[in-house]
Short mmCIF file of all heavy atoms in Angstrom, two decimals:
data_model
loop_
_atom_site.label_atom_id
_atom_site.label_comp_id
_atom_site.label_asym_id
_atom_site.label_seq_id
_atom_site.Cartn_x
_atom_site.Cartn_y
_atom_site.Cartn_z
N MET O 1 0.84 -1.15 0.02
CA MET O 1 0.01 0.00 0.01
C MET O 1 0.91 1.24 -0.02
O MET O 1 1.76 1.39 0.85
CB MET O 1 -0.89 -0.04 1.24
CG MET O 1 -1.81 1.13 1.31
SD MET O 1 -3.15 0.96 2.50
CE MET O 1 -2.32 0.56 4.01
N ASN O 2 0.72 2.10 -0.97
CA ASN O 2 1.53 3.32 -1.09
C ASN O 2 0.66 4.54 -0.85
O ASN O 2 -0.44 4.59 -1.29
CB ASN O 2 2.15 3.40 -2.51
CG ASN O 2 3.11 2.29 -2.74
OD1 ASN O 2 3.92 1.98 -1.89
ND2 ASN O 2 3.04 1.66 -3.88
N ASP O 3 1.24 5.52 -0.14
CA ASP O 3 0.51 6.78 0.01
C ASP O 3 0.86 7.69 -1.17
O ASP O 3 1.74 7.37 -1.98
CB ASP O 3 0.76 7.43 1.36
CG ASP O 3 2.22 7.81 1.58
OD1 ASP O 3 2.91 8.10 0.57
OD2 ASP O 3 2.65 7.81 2.75
N LYS O 4 0.24 8.84 -1.24
CA LYS O 4 0.46 9.73 -2.38
C LYS O 4 1.84 10.36 -2.41
O LYS O 4 2.27 10.84 -3.41
CB LYS O 4 -0.61 10.83 -2.38
CG LYS O 4 -2.00 10.29 -2.65
CD LYS O 4 -3.02 11.37 -2.65
CE LYS O 4 -4.40 10.77 -2.91
NZ LYS O 4 -5.44 11.77 -2.89
N ASN O 5 2.56 10.34 -1.27
CA ASN O 5 3.90 10.93 -1.18
C ASN O 5 4.99 9.94 -1.56
O ASN O 5 6.17 10.31 -1.65
CB ASN O 5 4.15 11.50 0.21
CG ASN O 5 3.21 12.63 0.53
OD1 ASN O 5 2.84 13.41 -0.32
ND2 ASN O 5 2.77 12.70 1.81
N THR O 6 4.65 8.70 -1.76
CA THR O 6 5.65 7.66 -2.07
C THR O 6 5.99 7.72 -3.57
O THR O 6 5.10 7.70 -4.40
CB THR O 6 5.14 6.27 -1.72
OG1 THR O 6 4.83 6.22 -0.34
CG2 THR O 6 6.17 5.19 -2.04
N ILE O 7 7.26 7.79 -3.86
CA ILE O 7 7.72 7.78 -5.24
C ILE O 7 8.13 6.33 -5.60
O ILE O 7 8.98 5.75 -4.93
CB ILE O 7 8.90 8.73 -5.46
CG1 ILE O 7 8.46 10.17 -5.18
CG2 ILE O 7 9.44 8.60 -6.86
CD1 ILE O 7 9.61 11.16 -5.18
N ILE O 8 7.52 5.77 -6.59
CA ILE O 8 7.82 4.42 -7.01
C ILE O 8 8.72 4.47 -8.23
O ILE O 8 8.37 5.09 -9.25
CB ILE O 8 6.54 3.62 -7.34
CG1 ILE O 8 5.67 3.56 -6.08
CG2 ILE O 8 6.89 2.23 -7.85
CD1 ILE O 8 4.31 2.95 -6.32
N LYS O 9 9.94 3.94 -8.11
CA LYS O 9 10.87 3.96 -9.20
C LYS O 9 10.68 2.73 -10.08
O LYS O 9 10.42 1.64 -9.58
CB LYS O 9 12.31 3.97 -8.67
CG LYS O 9 12.63 5.23 -7.87
CD LYS O 9 14.03 5.16 -7.37
CE LYS O 9 14.30 6.40 -6.51
NZ LYS O 9 15.66 6.40 -5.99
N PRO O 10 10.82 2.87 -11.38
CA PRO O 10 10.65 1.73 -12.26
C PRO O 10 11.78 0.71 -12.09
O PRO O 10 12.93 1.08 -11.83
CB PRO O 10 10.65 2.32 -13.67
CG PRO O 10 11.24 3.66 -13.54
CD PRO O 10 11.05 4.11 -12.13
N ALA O 11 11.46 -0.55 -12.26
CA ALA O 11 12.45 -1.62 -12.13
C ALA O 11 13.58 -1.47 -13.13
O ALA O 11 14.71 -1.94 -12.86
CB ALA O 11 11.78 -2.98 -12.31
N SER O 12 13.36 -0.77 -14.25
CA SER O 12 14.42 -0.61 -15.25
C SER O 12 15.56 0.24 -14.74
O SER O 12 16.64 0.26 -15.35
CB SER O 12 13.85 0.02 -16.53
OG SER O 12 13.29 1.31 -16.25
N LEU O 13 15.37 0.95 -13.61
CA LEU O 13 16.45 1.79 -13.04
C LEU O 13 17.29 1.04 -12.01
O LEU O 13 18.23 1.58 -11.45
CB LEU O 13 15.86 3.05 -12.40
CG LEU O 13 15.16 4.02 -13.38
CD1 LEU O 13 14.58 5.19 -12.60
CD2 LEU O 13 16.10 4.49 -14.44
N ILE O 14 16.95 -0.26 -11.75
CA ILE O 14 17.72 -1.05 -10.79
C ILE O 14 19.02 -1.48 -11.43
O ILE O 14 19.02 -2.02 -12.55
CB ILE O 14 16.92 -2.26 -10.31
CG1 ILE O 14 15.69 -1.81 -9.55
CG2 ILE O 14 17.80 -3.20 -9.47
CD1 ILE O 14 14.75 -2.93 -9.20
N ILE O 15 20.16 -1.25 -10.73
CA ILE O 15 21.44 -1.70 -11.23
C ILE O 15 22.01 -2.87 -10.47
O ILE O 15 22.91 -3.53 -10.93
CB ILE O 15 22.48 -0.54 -11.24
CG1 ILE O 15 22.66 0.05 -9.85
CG2 ILE O 15 22.09 0.52 -12.24
CD1 ILE O 15 23.80 1.05 -9.73
N LYS O 16 21.44 -3.15 -9.27
CA LYS O 16 21.94 -4.28 -8.48
C LYS O 16 20.82 -4.73 -7.52
O LYS O 16 20.10 -3.92 -6.97
CB LYS O 16 23.18 -3.84 -7.66
CG LYS O 16 23.78 -4.95 -6.86
CD LYS O 16 25.11 -4.51 -6.24
CE LYS O 16 24.81 -3.78 -4.93
NZ LYS O 16 25.96 -3.60 -4.09
N LEU O 17 20.70 -6.05 -7.36
CA LEU O 17 19.79 -6.64 -6.41
C LEU O 17 20.57 -7.52 -5.44
O LEU O 17 21.40 -8.32 -5.86
CB LEU O 17 18.74 -7.51 -7.10
CG LEU O 17 17.55 -6.83 -7.72
CD1 LEU O 17 16.69 -7.88 -8.48
CD2 LEU O 17 16.73 -6.14 -6.69
N ASP O 18 20.33 -7.34 -4.18
CA ASP O 18 20.97 -8.18 -3.13
C ASP O 18 19.86 -8.84 -2.35
O ASP O 18 18.79 -8.28 -2.11
CB ASP O 18 21.81 -7.34 -2.21
CG ASP O 18 23.08 -6.81 -2.87
OD1 ASP O 18 23.77 -7.62 -3.47
OD2 ASP O 18 23.30 -5.60 -2.78
N ILE O 19 20.13 -10.07 -1.90
CA ILE O 19 19.23 -10.77 -1.01
C ILE O 19 19.84 -10.72 0.37
O ILE O 19 21.04 -11.02 0.55
CB ILE O 19 18.99 -12.22 -1.46
CG1 ILE O 19 18.42 -12.19 -2.86
CG2 ILE O 19 18.15 -12.99 -0.48
CD1 ILE O 19 17.75 -13.39 -3.37
N LEU O 20 19.02 -10.28 1.36
CA LEU O 20 19.51 -10.10 2.73
C LEU O 20 18.83 -11.08 3.67
O LEU O 20 17.69 -11.44 3.45
CB LEU O 20 19.18 -8.65 3.19
CG LEU O 20 19.62 -7.52 2.27
CD1 LEU O 20 19.14 -6.19 2.80
CD2 LEU O 20 21.10 -7.52 2.04
N ASP O 21 19.57 -11.49 4.69
CA ASP O 21 18.97 -12.42 5.67
C ASP O 21 18.20 -11.62 6.74
O ASP O 21 18.04 -10.41 6.60
CB ASP O 21 20.07 -13.31 6.30
CG ASP O 21 21.08 -12.55 7.10
OD1 ASP O 21 20.90 -11.34 7.40
OD2 ASP O 21 22.11 -13.18 7.50
N ASP O 22 17.76 -12.30 7.78
CA ASP O 22 16.99 -11.66 8.86
C ASP O 22 17.72 -10.51 9.52
O ASP O 22 17.10 -9.61 10.07
CB ASP O 22 16.62 -12.68 9.95
CG ASP O 22 15.37 -13.47 9.62
OD1 ASP O 22 14.63 -13.07 8.72
OD2 ASP O 22 15.16 -14.50 10.28
N TYR O 23 19.05 -10.57 9.49
CA TYR O 23 19.86 -9.55 10.15
C TYR O 23 20.27 -8.41 9.24
O TYR O 23 21.03 -7.52 9.60
CB TYR O 23 21.09 -10.19 10.77
CG TYR O 23 20.79 -11.26 11.76
CD1 TYR O 23 20.93 -12.59 11.46
CD2 TYR O 23 20.31 -10.94 13.04
CE1 TYR O 23 20.61 -13.59 12.35
CE2 TYR O 23 19.98 -11.93 13.94
CZ TYR O 23 20.16 -13.26 13.60
OH TYR O 23 19.82 -14.23 14.50
N GLY O 24 19.83 -8.46 7.96
CA GLY O 24 20.19 -7.43 7.00
C GLY O 24 21.54 -7.63 6.36
O GLY O 24 22.06 -6.74 5.71
N ARG O 25 22.11 -8.84 6.52
CA ARG O 25 23.41 -9.15 5.90
C ARG O 25 23.17 -9.75 4.53
O ARG O 25 22.21 -10.49 4.33
CB ARG O 25 24.18 -10.16 6.76
CG ARG O 25 24.49 -9.67 8.14
CD ARG O 25 25.16 -10.77 8.95
NE ARG O 25 24.26 -11.91 9.04
CZ ARG O 25 24.28 -12.79 10.00
NH1 ARG O 25 25.15 -12.69 10.97
NH2 ARG O 25 23.45 -13.79 10.03
N LYS O 26 24.09 -9.44 3.60
CA LYS O 26 23.97 -10.01 2.26
C LYS O 26 24.15 -11.52 2.32
O LYS O 26 25.04 -12.03 2.99
CB LYS O 26 25.03 -9.41 1.33
CG LYS O 26 24.74 -7.97 1.01
CD LYS O 26 25.76 -7.41 0.06
CE LYS O 26 25.50 -5.94 -0.14
NZ LYS O 26 26.51 -5.30 -0.99
N VAL O 27 23.30 -12.26 1.63
CA VAL O 27 23.32 -13.71 1.62
C VAL O 27 24.40 -14.17 0.65
O VAL O 27 24.48 -13.69 -0.48
CB VAL O 27 21.94 -14.27 1.21
CG1 VAL O 27 22.00 -15.75 1.01
CG2 VAL O 27 20.90 -13.90 2.27
N LYS O 28 25.23 -15.09 1.13
CA LYS O 28 26.24 -15.66 0.22
C LYS O 28 25.62 -16.78 -0.56
O LYS O 28 24.68 -17.43 -0.14
CB LYS O 28 27.42 -16.20 1.08
CG LYS O 28 28.15 -15.10 1.83
CD LYS O 28 29.25 -15.66 2.67
CE LYS O 28 29.95 -14.54 3.43
NZ LYS O 28 30.93 -15.06 4.37
N SER O 29 26.18 -17.04 -1.72
CA SER O 29 25.65 -18.07 -2.60
C SER O 29 26.65 -19.21 -2.65
O SER O 29 27.84 -18.98 -2.81
CB SER O 29 25.44 -17.50 -3.99
OG SER O 29 24.95 -18.48 -4.86
N PRO O 30 26.27 -20.45 -2.52
CA PRO O 30 24.91 -20.91 -2.19
C PRO O 30 24.64 -20.70 -0.71
O PRO O 30 25.53 -20.74 0.13
CB PRO O 30 24.93 -22.38 -2.55
CG PRO O 30 26.38 -22.79 -2.36
CD PRO O 30 27.19 -21.56 -2.71
N TYR O 31 23.39 -20.50 -0.34
CA TYR O 31 22.98 -20.25 1.02
C TYR O 31 22.70 -21.59 1.70
O TYR O 31 21.99 -22.43 1.17
CB TYR O 31 21.71 -19.39 1.06
CG TYR O 31 21.23 -19.10 2.44
CD1 TYR O 31 21.85 -18.11 3.19
CD2 TYR O 31 20.17 -19.79 3.00
CE1 TYR O 31 21.43 -17.82 4.48
CE2 TYR O 31 19.72 -19.50 4.28
CZ TYR O 31 20.38 -18.52 5.01
OH TYR O 31 19.94 -18.23 6.28
N LYS O 32 23.29 -21.77 2.86
CA LYS O 32 23.02 -22.99 3.63
C LYS O 32 21.81 -22.71 4.56
O LYS O 32 21.86 -21.76 5.38
CB LYS O 32 24.25 -23.37 4.48
CG LYS O 32 24.10 -24.65 5.21
CD LYS O 32 25.36 -25.05 5.92
CE LYS O 32 25.17 -26.38 6.62
NZ LYS O 32 26.34 -26.82 7.34
N ILE O 33 20.78 -23.50 4.41
CA ILE O 33 19.56 -23.34 5.20
C ILE O 33 19.90 -23.50 6.69
O ILE O 33 20.61 -24.42 7.08
CB ILE O 33 18.50 -24.35 4.79
CG1 ILE O 33 18.10 -24.14 3.33
CG2 ILE O 33 17.26 -24.28 5.68
CD1 ILE O 33 17.42 -22.82 3.04
N GLN O 34 19.42 -22.58 7.50
CA GLN O 34 19.64 -22.57 8.96
C GLN O 34 18.45 -23.25 9.66
O GLN O 34 17.37 -23.29 9.09
CB GLN O 34 19.77 -21.15 9.47
CG GLN O 34 20.70 -20.26 8.67
CD GLN O 34 22.13 -20.52 9.00
OE1 GLN O 34 22.47 -20.80 10.13
NE2 GLN O 34 23.00 -20.44 8.01
N LYS O 35 18.65 -23.71 10.85
CA LYS O 35 17.55 -24.26 11.66
C LYS O 35 16.65 -23.09 12.07
O LYS O 35 17.15 -22.04 12.45
CB LYS O 35 18.10 -24.97 12.88
CG LYS O 35 17.00 -25.64 13.71
CD LYS O 35 17.58 -26.44 14.86
CE LYS O 35 16.45 -27.09 15.61
NZ LYS O 35 16.98 -27.90 16.72
N GLY O 36 15.37 -23.26 11.93
CA GLY O 36 14.40 -22.20 12.28
C GLY O 36 13.94 -21.49 11.03
O GLY O 36 14.00 -22.02 9.94
N ALA O 37 13.44 -20.25 11.20
CA ALA O 37 12.90 -19.50 10.05
C ALA O 37 14.02 -19.04 9.17
O ALA O 37 15.10 -18.63 9.64
CB ALA O 37 12.10 -18.32 10.56
N ASN O 38 13.81 -19.11 7.89
CA ASN O 38 14.75 -18.61 6.90
C ASN O 38 14.01 -17.52 6.09
O ASN O 38 13.36 -17.84 5.10
CB ASN O 38 15.25 -19.72 5.97
CG ASN O 38 16.20 -20.66 6.70
OD1 ASN O 38 17.37 -20.42 6.80
ND2 ASN O 38 15.66 -21.74 7.25
N GLU O 39 14.04 -16.31 6.57
CA GLU O 39 13.30 -15.21 5.95
C GLU O 39 14.29 -14.25 5.32
O GLU O 39 15.33 -13.95 5.88
CB GLU O 39 12.43 -14.51 6.97
CG GLU O 39 11.36 -15.45 7.48
CD GLU O 39 10.36 -14.76 8.39
OE1 GLU O 39 10.23 -13.54 8.29
OE2 GLU O 39 9.74 -15.46 9.20
N PHE O 40 13.93 -13.76 4.15
CA PHE O 40 14.81 -12.93 3.37
C PHE O 40 14.15 -11.64 2.94
O PHE O 40 12.94 -11.55 2.91
CB PHE O 40 15.29 -13.68 2.11
CG PHE O 40 15.94 -14.99 2.42
CD1 PHE O 40 15.21 -16.16 2.38
CD2 PHE O 40 17.26 -15.03 2.79
CE1 PHE O 40 15.80 -17.36 2.67
CE2 PHE O 40 17.86 -16.24 3.09
CZ PHE O 40 17.16 -17.41 3.03
N THR O 41 14.98 -10.65 2.62
CA THR O 41 14.54 -9.38 2.08
C THR O 41 15.37 -9.09 0.84
O THR O 41 16.53 -9.47 0.82
CB THR O 41 14.76 -8.25 3.13
OG1 THR O 41 14.11 -8.60 4.33
CG2 THR O 41 14.22 -6.91 2.64
N CYS O 42 14.80 -8.41 -0.13
CA CYS O 42 15.57 -7.97 -1.28
C CYS O 42 15.90 -6.51 -1.10
O CYS O 42 15.12 -5.75 -0.54
CB CYS O 42 14.75 -8.13 -2.57
SG CYS O 42 14.58 -9.82 -3.13
N GLU O 43 17.08 -6.13 -1.56
CA GLU O 43 17.47 -4.72 -1.55
C GLU O 43 17.87 -4.33 -2.97
O GLU O 43 18.80 -4.90 -3.55
CB GLU O 43 18.61 -4.49 -0.58
CG GLU O 43 18.99 -3.01 -0.50
CD GLU O 43 20.05 -2.74 0.55
OE1 GLU O 43 21.21 -3.15 0.30
OE2 GLU O 43 19.71 -2.19 1.58
N ALA O 44 17.19 -3.38 -3.51
CA ALA O 44 17.48 -2.91 -4.88
C ALA O 44 18.32 -1.64 -4.77
O ALA O 44 18.04 -0.78 -3.95
CB ALA O 44 16.17 -2.58 -5.61
N THR O 45 19.36 -1.53 -5.60
CA THR O 45 20.13 -0.31 -5.71
C THR O 45 19.83 0.27 -7.10
O THR O 45 19.92 -0.43 -8.09
CB THR O 45 21.64 -0.60 -5.60
OG1 THR O 45 21.87 -1.26 -4.33
CG2 THR O 45 22.48 0.66 -5.69
N TYR O 46 19.47 1.54 -7.08
CA TYR O 46 19.07 2.25 -8.31
C TYR O 46 20.24 3.03 -8.90
O TYR O 46 21.26 3.23 -8.25
CB TYR O 46 17.89 3.17 -8.03
CG TYR O 46 16.64 2.42 -7.64
CD1 TYR O 46 16.33 2.18 -6.30
CD2 TYR O 46 15.78 1.95 -8.59
CE1 TYR O 46 15.20 1.50 -5.95
CE2 TYR O 46 14.62 1.24 -8.26
CZ TYR O 46 14.36 1.02 -6.93
OH TYR O 46 13.22 0.33 -6.56
N VAL O 47 20.04 3.50 -10.14
CA VAL O 47 21.07 4.22 -10.84
C VAL O 47 21.52 5.49 -10.10
O VAL O 47 22.67 5.93 -10.23
CB VAL O 47 20.68 4.60 -12.28
CG1 VAL O 47 20.54 3.36 -13.12
CG2 VAL O 47 19.42 5.42 -12.31
N ASP O 48 20.65 6.06 -9.25
CA ASP O 48 21.02 7.25 -8.50
C ASP O 48 21.63 6.86 -7.13
O ASP O 48 21.83 7.71 -6.29
CB ASP O 48 19.82 8.18 -8.32
CG ASP O 48 18.69 7.52 -7.51
OD1 ASP O 48 18.82 6.34 -7.11
OD2 ASP O 48 17.67 8.21 -7.27
N ASN O 49 21.95 5.60 -6.96
CA ASN O 49 22.62 5.04 -5.79
C ASN O 49 21.74 4.99 -4.54
O ASN O 49 22.22 4.73 -3.45
CB ASN O 49 23.94 5.76 -5.47
CG ASN O 49 25.01 4.76 -5.02
OD1 ASN O 49 24.94 3.58 -5.37
ND2 ASN O 49 25.95 5.26 -4.27
N THR O 50 20.44 5.22 -4.68
CA THR O 50 19.52 5.01 -3.56
C THR O 50 19.16 3.53 -3.48
O THR O 50 19.33 2.78 -4.45
CB THR O 50 18.23 5.83 -3.73
OG1 THR O 50 17.58 5.46 -4.95
CG2 THR O 50 18.51 7.33 -3.73
N THR O 51 18.73 3.10 -2.32
CA THR O 51 18.36 1.71 -2.11
C THR O 51 16.92 1.63 -1.57
O THR O 51 16.44 2.56 -0.96
CB THR O 51 19.29 0.99 -1.15
OG1 THR O 51 19.28 1.61 0.10
CG2 THR O 51 20.71 0.94 -1.70
N GLU O 52 16.32 0.48 -1.82
CA GLU O 52 14.96 0.24 -1.32
C GLU O 52 14.87 -1.26 -1.02
O GLU O 52 15.33 -2.10 -1.77
CB GLU O 52 13.94 0.62 -2.38
CG GLU O 52 12.49 0.40 -1.93
CD GLU O 52 11.52 0.81 -3.02
OE1 GLU O 52 11.91 1.20 -4.09
OE2 GLU O 52 10.32 0.70 -2.76
N ARG O 53 14.28 -1.57 0.12
CA ARG O 53 14.10 -2.96 0.51
C ARG O 53 12.65 -3.37 0.31
O ARG O 53 11.74 -2.56 0.48
CB ARG O 53 14.46 -3.18 1.99
CG ARG O 53 15.98 -3.07 2.19
CD ARG O 53 16.36 -3.43 3.59
NE ARG O 53 17.78 -3.26 3.74
CZ ARG O 53 18.44 -3.56 4.85
NH1 ARG O 53 17.77 -4.01 5.90
NH2 ARG O 53 19.74 -3.38 4.91
N PHE O 54 12.45 -4.64 -0.06
CA PHE O 54 11.10 -5.15 -0.25
C PHE O 54 11.14 -6.65 0.00
O PHE O 54 12.19 -7.27 0.08
CB PHE O 54 10.57 -4.83 -1.67
CG PHE O 54 11.52 -5.24 -2.78
CD1 PHE O 54 11.34 -6.45 -3.41
CD2 PHE O 54 12.51 -4.40 -3.22
CE1 PHE O 54 12.18 -6.84 -4.42
CE2 PHE O 54 13.35 -4.75 -4.26
CZ PHE O 54 13.18 -5.99 -4.86
N ALA O 55 9.94 -7.21 0.14
CA ALA O 55 9.82 -8.64 0.43
C ALA O 55 10.41 -9.49 -0.69
O ALA O 55 10.24 -9.17 -1.84
CB ALA O 55 8.36 -9.02 0.66
N ALA O 56 11.12 -10.53 -0.31
CA ALA O 56 11.73 -11.42 -1.29
C ALA O 56 10.74 -12.52 -1.67
O ALA O 56 10.06 -13.06 -0.80
CB ALA O 56 13.00 -12.03 -0.73
N PHE O 57 10.66 -12.82 -2.96
CA PHE O 57 9.87 -13.95 -3.41
C PHE O 57 10.42 -14.45 -4.72
O PHE O 57 11.06 -13.71 -5.46
CB PHE O 57 8.38 -13.63 -3.53
CG PHE O 57 8.07 -12.53 -4.53
CD1 PHE O 57 7.75 -12.85 -5.85
CD2 PHE O 57 8.10 -11.21 -4.15
CE1 PHE O 57 7.49 -11.85 -6.77
CE2 PHE O 57 7.84 -10.19 -5.07
CZ PHE O 57 7.54 -10.52 -6.37
N TRP O 58 10.22 -15.72 -5.00
CA TRP O 58 10.76 -16.33 -6.21
C TRP O 58 9.58 -16.85 -7.03
O TRP O 58 8.69 -17.50 -6.49
CB TRP O 58 11.68 -17.48 -5.86
CG TRP O 58 12.99 -17.02 -5.34
CD1 TRP O 58 14.16 -16.92 -6.07
CD2 TRP O 58 13.30 -16.59 -4.02
NE1 TRP O 58 15.16 -16.45 -5.23
CE2 TRP O 58 14.67 -16.23 -3.99
CE3 TRP O 58 12.57 -16.45 -2.85
CZ2 TRP O 58 15.29 -15.78 -2.83
CZ3 TRP O 58 13.19 -15.98 -1.71
CH2 TRP O 58 14.54 -15.65 -1.72
N THR O 59 9.60 -16.59 -8.30
CA THR O 59 8.55 -17.08 -9.16
C THR O 59 9.09 -17.92 -10.33
O THR O 59 8.33 -18.36 -11.17
CB THR O 59 7.72 -15.92 -9.75
OG1 THR O 59 8.59 -15.07 -10.48
CG2 THR O 59 7.02 -15.13 -8.65
N CYS O 60 10.38 -18.09 -10.39
CA CYS O 60 10.96 -18.82 -11.52
C CYS O 60 11.03 -20.32 -11.21
O CYS O 60 11.58 -20.73 -10.18
CB CYS O 60 12.41 -18.34 -11.76
SG CYS O 60 12.47 -16.60 -12.20
N PRO O 61 10.47 -21.13 -12.08
CA PRO O 61 10.58 -22.57 -11.86
C PRO O 61 11.96 -23.09 -12.16
O PRO O 61 12.67 -22.51 -13.00
CB PRO O 61 9.56 -23.15 -12.84
CG PRO O 61 9.47 -22.14 -13.92
CD PRO O 61 9.73 -20.80 -13.26
N MET O 62 12.38 -24.15 -11.48
CA MET O 62 13.64 -24.80 -11.81
C MET O 62 13.35 -26.01 -12.66
O MET O 62 12.49 -26.83 -12.33
CB MET O 62 14.32 -25.25 -10.52
CG MET O 62 14.81 -24.12 -9.67
SD MET O 62 15.74 -24.57 -8.16
CE MET O 62 15.69 -26.31 -8.05
N ILE O 63 14.05 -26.12 -13.78
CA ILE O 63 13.91 -27.27 -14.63
C ILE O 63 14.78 -28.40 -14.12
O ILE O 63 16.00 -28.19 -13.93
CB ILE O 63 14.26 -26.91 -16.11
CG1 ILE O 63 13.32 -25.83 -16.60
CG2 ILE O 63 14.21 -28.15 -16.98
CD1 ILE O 63 13.67 -25.25 -17.95
N LEU O 64 14.20 -29.52 -13.84
CA LEU O 64 14.94 -30.64 -13.25
C LEU O 64 15.75 -31.37 -14.29
O LEU O 64 15.34 -31.45 -15.47
CB LEU O 64 13.94 -31.59 -12.56
CG LEU O 64 13.09 -30.94 -11.46
CD1 LEU O 64 12.03 -31.94 -10.99
CD2 LEU O 64 13.96 -30.46 -10.32
N PRO O 65 16.93 -31.87 -13.92
CA PRO O 65 17.82 -32.54 -14.89
C PRO O 65 17.13 -33.71 -15.61
O PRO O 65 17.44 -33.98 -16.75
CB PRO O 65 18.99 -33.03 -14.07
CG PRO O 65 18.88 -32.36 -12.77
CD PRO O 65 17.51 -31.86 -12.60
N ARG O 66 16.24 -34.41 -14.98
CA ARG O 66 15.59 -35.57 -15.59
C ARG O 66 14.23 -35.24 -16.20
O ARG O 66 13.42 -36.13 -16.45
CB ARG O 66 15.44 -36.70 -14.56
CG ARG O 66 16.77 -37.21 -14.09
CD ARG O 66 16.58 -38.28 -13.06
NE ARG O 66 17.89 -38.64 -12.46
CZ ARG O 66 18.49 -39.77 -12.65
NH1 ARG O 66 17.97 -40.68 -13.46
NH2 ARG O 66 19.63 -40.01 -12.10
N GLY O 67 13.97 -33.95 -16.36
CA GLY O 67 12.71 -33.51 -16.90
C GLY O 67 11.76 -33.08 -15.81
O GLY O 67 11.91 -33.42 -14.64
N GLY O 68 10.80 -32.29 -16.15
CA GLY O 68 9.84 -31.79 -15.17
C GLY O 68 10.28 -30.45 -14.63
O GLY O 68 11.36 -29.95 -14.92
N VAL O 69 9.41 -29.89 -13.81
CA VAL O 69 9.63 -28.56 -13.25
C VAL O 69 9.34 -28.56 -11.78
O VAL O 69 8.41 -29.23 -11.32
CB VAL O 69 8.74 -27.52 -13.97
CG1 VAL O 69 8.93 -26.14 -13.41
CG2 VAL O 69 9.00 -27.51 -15.48
N ASP O 70 10.16 -27.86 -11.01
CA ASP O 70 9.95 -27.69 -9.56
C ASP O 70 9.63 -26.24 -9.30
O ASP O 70 10.42 -25.36 -9.55
CB ASP O 70 11.20 -28.12 -8.79
CG ASP O 70 11.01 -28.01 -7.29
OD1 ASP O 70 9.91 -27.66 -6.82
OD2 ASP O 70 12.02 -28.25 -6.57
N PHE O 71 8.43 -25.95 -8.80
CA PHE O 71 8.06 -24.58 -8.45
C PHE O 71 8.35 -24.30 -6.99
O PHE O 71 8.09 -23.33 -6.44
CB PHE O 71 6.55 -24.35 -8.72
CG PHE O 71 6.25 -24.31 -10.18
CD1 PHE O 71 5.88 -25.44 -10.86
CD2 PHE O 71 6.41 -23.14 -10.89
CE1 PHE O 71 5.58 -25.41 -12.22
CE2 PHE O 71 6.14 -23.09 -12.26
CZ PHE O 71 5.73 -24.23 -12.90
#
């Protein structure tokens, strides 16, 4: 939900995306799942060097080596 004073920047101005853990630290790849909740946030860096955080979600299916798709 955005109020009238919020400026929404287009995704085309993003120059870098980072995935952050619960503590706001950049996640290393590959990420080793921890015991308990594994919650993430995305941080976008724009061409003007400002950043914005938003909820992380994945929508890309993984194609399995033996065929099929994992969502």
Side-chain angles (χ1 to χ4, degrees):
M1 180 166 54
N2 295 316
D3 62 29
K4 293 180 181 179
N5 297 324
T6 302
I7 298 172
I8 300 173
K9 296 179 183 180
S12 61
L13 296 178
I14 295 173
I15 58 172
K16 183 172 84 166
L17 278 175
D18 290 309
I19 301 198
L20 310 175
D21 65 10
D22 276 345
Y23 301 105
R25 299 176 300 207
K26 290 182 184 177
V27 172
K28 295 178 182 174
S29 180
Y31 180 78
K32 185 175 181 181
I33 298 296
Q34 311 283 323
K35 184 176 182 179
N38 289 275
E39 296 186 23
F40 304 96
T41 305
C42 286
E43 184 176 71
T45 303
Y46 294 93
V47 293
D48 63 359
N49 219 26
T50 59
T51 60
E52 181 180 2
R53 289 187 182 182
F54 52 93
F57 61 93
W58 287 260
T59 59
C60 299
M62 291 183 356
I63 298 173
L64 302 173
R66 297 178 188 251
V69 179
D70 182 4
F71 289 94

